[in-house]
Amino acid sequence: MSIRIEQVAKTFGRTQALAPIDLNIADGELIGLLGPSGSGKTTLLRIMAGLEQADGGRIHFGERDVTQLHVRDRRIGFVFQHYALFRHMTVFENVAFGLRAMPRRERPSNADIRSRVTQLLEMVRLNEFAERFPAQLSGGQQQRVALARALALKPDVLLLDEPFGALDAKVRQELRRWLRHLHDELNFTSVFVTHDQEEALELSDRVVVMSNGRIEQIATPDELYRQPANRFVFEFLGDVNRLEGDVRDGVLTCGDAHLDVGDLADGGQELLLRPHEISLAGEPSAHTHLPVTVTAIVPVGAEVRLELEADWLVEPWLATISHADFERLDVQRGKRLFATPTHWHRFNAQTVAEPAAVAMS
Amino acid sequence: MTTARFSLQRQHRVLPGFGLSLGVSLTFISLVLLLPLTSLVGQLSQLSWSQYWFLITDPRIVASYSVTLGAAAVACLFNAAFGLLMAWVLVRYDFPGKRLVDALMDLPFALPTAVAGITLATLYSSNGWIGSLLEPTGISIAYTWVGIALAMAFTSIPFVVRTVQPVLEDLPAEIDEAAVSLGAKDGHAFRRVILPHLWPALVTGTGLAFVRSLGEFGAVIFIAGGKPYETEITSLMIFVRLQEYDYAGASAVASIVLATSLLLLLVINLWQGRFIKRLHGGRG
């Protein structure tokens, strides 16, 4: 079921939690609401659910105007960060709760409830835990129960509030993939809230980046990473290295470091670089002279992360290089190397996007 | 396992003062609780079984049992409902003067029970504020079992409020949100989701209120009026026996109150232990 949000706003006391927001979500889409805490993402989700009342604006699920509808009549499934399972009920009764809460006329027979719940528990691969109590399950299993419970009534829309936030990294990874599969299989419309950019990029069809109660950008993960709309989005999506300096005649200088920047305007400029957009060499090149010293080496997975310092840098840089380069350069702590940006980003005055990036060599 | 844990091994403890604090506590318990109880048993030991039986089955005293039990039952049932409501209001809603209402809840504990008794008696007697209003309708509260129940309810309400309140505070709002998002009506959500969580605390609080009501004396005697066979409570009977210097008789009746109270407390504790075990998934 598609979701159409028009001019939805919310203030708590004097703080504006949501500026008037418009958002259209297509049928069957999986949308991630991404932002730091206090960005209004959870408020927006709770307003969609009807757990919070918006100050103004309208919300449509498909053709249905649900703005004034109570939570229980919106046909949503809601998954909470801390599971919110009913601890005095078995896993089976938790999942059956929504079915048993239906008015007597519509309520399925006990046999139907049993078969539906069994089917749901099979789907979340927990059928052998049906008679256990929530406290006897691990966090990941509890969240799967919560998901089965939310899906029991075949909701139009599934809403998840930081669903994997309370779980450890490995379980989180597993559950993410599993949720993606489930979503592709059952094809419901879902919206989830997260502050973890990796989670948002991995799981969503489209990501909605929010800050200070505003939507900063709505884009596919790929687009978002390649063409961030503004500096906030760029910085929020990954590690950022900054290079500030004066440009004169196409050369940026900063202390004893300098770099050819092509046709960049004269004056003070700030360049932003991702860690993988820095290449390292043993010797300076003709156009670039950015001497750095390696201060920390962290091998993680497929790459090596290096912390680089120099007296012309305000904050240390973070660079990631391949293991092959790492060995070729014979990197050690304290070693002096020369950095070359392969790509950079520039944003004017915090807001307007200028993804003008020049490849240098 | 358990014996090993409690055996007095000479091992280093991180938290100091175990021996001293336990010793002081046990001494204190002995002096304040066990010694008086022992003297009660001492008094009882002067009686033969038949004498004991005769004393505790005196018709007037048996009548007082039923008055006390009946009034305490009504009082604690009323408190269960009203106390739950009070705790709910104090935890779930914000309103001006909430802190004051919260503090007022402890008043029945802080107020001398005799003061409460006199106040209630003057309010509800036939020339009191409320009593005079009720008189034309033919309802009398003072000097009937209703008055006794009222006094008992007054003195024991904090037990229910103060046991339910912290449990309700610990119950995350997400629980009701989850229930409602699954389509449950408010009543259904309350009965099936919230009440089961509060149940152990509610039963414990109500049980404590009941036990307290059984032994209540100060607040009740003024409003009870003390008509033999009708409005005499058991603790009054103990008092009467004492005034007659019949220490053995007083002890015999007291032993009944004591045994009932202890038994109830034990049952509540055992039952609550079992329930809590289930909430924690049978692991403790």
Side-chain angles (χ1 to χ4, degrees):
Chain A
M1 182 104 13
S2 65
I3 305 175
R4 198 165 83 239
I5 294 167
E6 288 165 359
Q7 292 294 303
V8 163
K10 176 81 183 171
T11 41
F12 289 113
R14 273 186 217 154
T15 40
Q16 188 177 43
L18 278 185
I21 269 182
D22 291 300
L23 179 62
N24 284 312
I25 297 168
D27 188 22
E29 234 182 345
L30 179 53
I31 292 283
L33 297 180
L34 174 68
S37 57
S39 60
K41 54 191 193 304
T42 298
T43 308
L44 181 59
L45 189 83
R46 289 174 62 85
I47 288 175
M48 283 188 218
L51 293 171
E52 212 86 65
Q53 194 69 39
D55 298 339
R58 306 220 72 82
I59 301 174
H60 287 84
F61 288 173
E63 289 309 306
R64 213 150 56 97
D65 183 348
V66 297
T67 317
Q68 298 302 329
L69 273 189
H70 191 270
V71 203
R72 70 169 71 92
D73 303 316
R74 284 200 186 188
R75 300 186 48 81
I76 52 132
F78 202 95
V79 175
F80 297 85
Q81 180 177 6
H82 297 289
Y83 331 129
L85 293 179
F86 308 134
R87 298 198 319 171
H88 60 287
M89 294 183 192
T90 59
V91 166
F92 183 94
E93 285 305 321
N94 263 282
V95 177
F97 183 86
L99 298 166
R100 293 210 200 283
M102 288 164 91
R104 197 176 295 274
R105 272 174 291 111
E106 300 158 37
R107 194 187 307 157
S109 70
N110 267 335
D112 287 346
I113 291 180
R114 181 151 288 276
S115 74
R116 174 101 184 104
V117 172
T118 311
Q119 182 204 337
L120 282 158
L121 285 177
E122 242 158 58
M123 187 186 74
V124 298
R125 295 186 311 242
L126 283 173
N127 26 359
E128 67 268 41
F129 296 100
E131 293 311 316
R132 298 252 188 122
F133 286 96
Q136 294 168 305
L137 304 182
S138 72
Q141 289 168 335
Q142 291 192 46
Q143 197 56 300
R144 268 149 56 198
V145 175
L147 220 109
R149 184 179 70 175
L151 291 174
L153 289 174
K154 300 196 173 126
D156 291 345
V157 173
L158 183 66
L159 304 169
L160 309 101
D161 184 9
E162 305 235 11
F164 312 130
L167 303 169
D168 55 53
K170 198 147 180 220
V171 179
R172 199 185 305 180
Q173 186 78 28
E174 201 183 292
L175 271 188
R176 256 187 236 162
R177 254 178 241 142
W178 174 80
L179 178 65
R180 181 75 238 187
H181 281 298
L182 200 68
H183 179 269
D184 293 343
E185 208 174 295
L186 301 179
N187 207 31
F188 42 78
T189 307
S190 20
V191 181
F192 72 100
V193 156
T194 180
H195 59 261
D196 178 350
Q197 9 97 5
E198 211 184 296
E199 190 165 293
L201 295 178
E202 184 178 328
L203 203 51
S204 331
D205 292 325
R206 280 193 303 155
V207 181
V208 177
V209 185
M210 297 184 64
S211 83
N212 290 323
R214 259 167 248 286
I215 293 181
E216 298 285 347
Q217 189 173 7
I218 307 172
T220 63
D222 185 52
E223 220 173 82
L224 198 67
Y225 200 78
R226 276 173 216 291
Q227 291 162 13
N230 55 39
R231 181 163 175 167
F232 173 84
V233 176
F234 181 78
E235 289 196 336
F236 196 73
L237 285 184
D239 293 308
V240 174
N241 298 309
R242 286 171 40 191
L243 174 58
E244 273 176 287
D246 270 320
V247 176
R248 193 165 298 259
D249 302 330
V251 178
L252 180 140
T253 17
C254 172
D256 60 346
H258 60 83
L259 166 71
D260 270 10
V261 288
D263 53 359
L264 224 58
D266 282 4
Q269 292 283 3
E270 184 191 46
L271 307 183
L272 303 174
L273 301 96
R274 292 274 188 221
H276 64 266
E277 290 165 351
I278 296 170
S279 80
L280 292 167
E283 299 295 327
S285 74
H287 313 287
T288 324
H289 179 79
L290 298 171
V292 289
T293 310
V294 179
T295 53
I297 300 171
V298 189
V300 267
E303 54 197 17
V304 184
R305 297 164 67 116
L306 302 179
E307 203 177 278
L308 309 171
E309 277 183 29
D311 47 16
W312 48 271
L313 276 177
V314 189
E315 290 163 25
W317 275 7
L318 189 72
T320 50
I321 61 170
S322 67
H323 283 275
D325 282 345
F326 181 75
E327 275 160 33
R328 186 170 53 77
L329 291 166
D330 186 27
V331 180
Q332 285 153 13
R333 274 181 69 173
K335 177 149 181 147
R336 201 171 153 82
L337 292 168
F338 294 89
T340 311
T342 53
H343 200 91
W344 68 65
H345 311 256
R346 224 160 50 79
F347 295 97
N348 282 343
Q350 306 267 329
T351 46
V352 187
E354 192 183 329
V358 185
M360 296 290 292
S361 59
Chain B
M1 278 297 281
T2 12
T3 44
R5 215 171 66 194
F6 289 113
S7 72
L8 296 171
Q9 293 166 358
R10 283 268 157 220
Q11 55 177 3
H12 182 73
R13 284 175 189 276
V14 178
L15 201 63
F18 171 71
L20 183 68
S21 55
L22 186 68
V24 171
S25 308
L26 286 181
T27 313
F28 194 72
I29 290 172
S30 311
L31 284 175
V32 173
L33 288 176
L34 296 181
L35 202 62
L37 289 186
T38 320
S39 77
L40 180 76
V41 176
Q43 290 282 355
L44 285 179
S45 64
Q46 298 168 7
L47 298 169
S48 71
W49 279 109
S50 57
Q51 279 172 313
Y52 181 66
W53 183 249
F54 177 75
L55 282 172
I56 61 172
T57 52
D58 180 285
R60 195 169 151 198
I61 290 183
V62 170
S64 84
Y65 295 153
S66 60
V67 170
T68 312
L69 283 174
V74 171
C76 82
L77 286 180
F78 172 80
N79 276 350
F82 183 63
L84 178 62
L85 183 75
M86 275 316 296
W88 178 266
V89 166
L90 284 175
V91 173
R92 285 299 169 100
Y93 307 115
D94 272 317
F95 53 91
K98 177 172 160 171
R99 297 281 295 272
L100 188 71
V101 177
D102 197 16
L104 276 178
M105 276 293 109
D106 286 326
L107 200 63
F109 278 171
L111 206 65
T113 51
V115 175
I118 291 168
T119 316
L120 289 172
T122 37
L123 260 183
Y124 288 101
S125 67
S126 51
N127 48 8
W129 278 3
I130 300 177
S132 60
L133 287 177
L134 287 177
E135 202 172 20
T137 62
I139 303 169
S140 55
I141 289 177
Y143 318 126
T144 66
W145 70 267
V146 183
I148 299 175
L150 188 78
M152 286 173 169
F154 175 83
T155 50
S156 60
I157 182 81
F159 281 109
V160 180
V161 180
R162 293 298 184 222
T163 46
V164 172
Q165 210 177 355
V167 179
L168 199 54
E169 268 162 8
D170 282 348
L171 195 70
E174 287 181 356
I175 295 285
D176 359 342
E177 287 177 352
V180 180
S181 80
L182 291 165
K185 295 262 188 294
D186 293 334
H188 187 88
F190 185 79
R191 269 199 326 278
R192 298 290 317 280
V193 173
I194 296 171
L195 204 54
H197 276 267
L198 301 182
W199 200 237
L202 188 62
V203 171
T204 306
T206 310
L208 287 174
F210 184 72
V211 171
R212 166 74 198 250
S213 300
L214 287 185
E216 185 53 54
F217 178 69
V220 176
I221 47 163
F222 296 101
I223 203 168
K227 267 180 271 170
Y229 299 101
E230 279 176 40
T231 61
E232 274 180 340
I233 52 165
T234 310
S235 49
L236 178 69
M237 297 319 296
I238 300 173
F239 182 70
V240 169
R241 288 281 177 274
L242 282 176
Q243 280 194 320
E244 294 164 349
Y245 302 106
D246 179 5
Y247 294 120
S251 306
V253 180
S255 70
I256 296 297
V257 178
L258 181 74
T260 316
S261 304
L262 278 180
L263 192 71
L264 271 170
L265 289 177
L266 189 72
V267 169
I268 292 167
N269 259 313
L270 286 177
W271 179 83
Q272 195 189 21
R274 258 186 53 197
F275 192 93
I276 284 175
K277 216 169 175 173
R278 214 175 80 185
L279 276 191
H280 291 274
R283 275 189 304 214

